[in-house]
Amino acid sequence: MTSALSLLPATDLETGHRLDFLLVTNMVEPGSRVLDVGCGDGDLLTLLRDRKGVDGRGIELSREGVNACLTKGLPVIQGDADTDLADYPDDAFDYVILSQTIQATRQPKVVLEHLLRIGRRAIVSFPNFGHWRVRVDLALKGRMPVTDNLPYSWYDTPNIHFCTIRDFVELCREVGAQMEKAVALNAGGKPMQVSLPWWVWNLLGDQGVFLLKRR
């Protein structure tokens, strides 16, 4: 499993924060108990702590990421979502966040089921492999695409389970997750403002961000 450090995200010019992190922060109620899985260097946890006053915890695979979090005063442990989430009790957190990481896990379905078990709600974001630029690269160049949101070559990418927005919607149905909110982000990292069918989001959305809970 990798962490949120794997992507090259769009940022807000005024605050310097990642746009997808700002969207996730707006989904979290103030004072909540939060677990950030694959928390990277702790930027999202820091934002949640400063803006929403959450009781935040993190789990991160890389020692570099853990050290960066500890430097910021964040309670983060080194661990792997594929193996260590099973150790957490049911309903231990109000929100469990998996930001730009599910595509790097070995067992995405199992990981998602754990998120919904551990948290009363789960927030999941991921790059959309169904975006039109990805399709064009595959169709015209015959090669695995390299984009701003998927910056690695096929042979050194940490992303091992590419999915589309439509794929993730189907996975949510399969595990019995209720979608409370779903947002597609454009290439600039901003939410698409109009309500569109899934197949349009699947074509135009650069990322997907989902707020989920158990049925």
Side-chain angles (χ1 to χ4, degrees):
M1 185 198 79
T2 188
S3 71
L5 293 172
S6 301
L7 302 177
L8 300 176
T11 58
D12 180 74
L13 295 179
E14 293 185 3
T15 66
H17 294 300
R18 283 175 44 170
L19 292 173
D20 58 323
F21 280 3
L22 292 172
L23 176 61
V24 169
T25 299
N26 288 337
M27 293 181 175
V28 175
E29 292 294 326
S32 300
R33 296 166 298 152
V34 175
L35 176 66
D36 187 1
V37 181
C39 60
D41 58 9
D43 281 353
L44 177 56
L45 273 176
T46 301
L47 185 62
L48 288 166
R49 179 190 64 188
D50 294 346
R51 291 203 175 187
K52 292 297 184 76
V54 305
D55 178 7
R57 301 287 187 271
I59 177 173
E60 166 60 27
L61 182 63
S62 73
R63 171 50 58 185
E64 295 81 7
V66 173
N67 290 339
C69 291
L70 295 178
T71 300
K72 297 173 182 176
L74 300 170
V76 172
I77 62 172
Q78 188 169 19
D80 189 329
D82 279 301
T83 57
D84 296 333
L85 290 180
D87 297 331
Y88 286 86
D90 296 356
D91 295 323
F93 295 90
D94 298 309
Y95 296 88
V96 182
I97 299 171
L98 191 68
S99 174
Q100 305 291 350
T101 301
I102 194 168
Q103 74 281 354
T105 61
R106 293 186 294 275
Q107 302 181 83
K109 180 181 177 183
V110 174
V111 169
L112 181 58
E113 289 172 337
H114 278 309
L115 301 185
L116 294 165
R117 176 185 62 79
I118 296 168
R120 299 183 185 279
R121 285 176 172 80
I123 300 175
V124 181
S125 66
F126 55 91
N128 175 32
F129 202 68
H131 190 273
W132 68 267
R133 290 180 300 169
V134 175
R135 301 186 193 203
V136 168
D137 273 1
L138 284 171
L140 299 182
K141 297 180 181 178
R143 300 182 62 182
M144 294 299 290
V146 176
T147 68
D148 289 343
N149 208 33
L150 295 165
Y152 294 93
S153 298
W154 67 270
Y155 53 82
D156 64 358
T157 179
N159 303 316
I160 58 177
H161 282 107
F162 291 113
C163 74
T164 68
I165 290 175
R166 189 169 184 176
D167 286 330
F168 188 77
V169 170
E170 290 300 320
L171 178 60
C172 290
R173 291 171 179 162
E174 187 171 339
V175 302
Q178 179 178 337
M179 291 180 288
E180 288 198 326
K181 188 171 184 179
V183 181
L185 306 183
N186 62 26
K190 297 182 179 180
M192 298 173 64
Q193 297 298 321
V194 293
S195 179
L196 298 168
W198 284 118
W199 69 267
V200 181
W201 277 20
N202 204 42
L203 183 65
L204 301 180
D206 202 52
Q207 302 176 54
V209 183
F210 288 75
L211 174 63
L212 310 170
K213 71 174 183 178
R214 296 190 300 271
R215 290 192 181 278

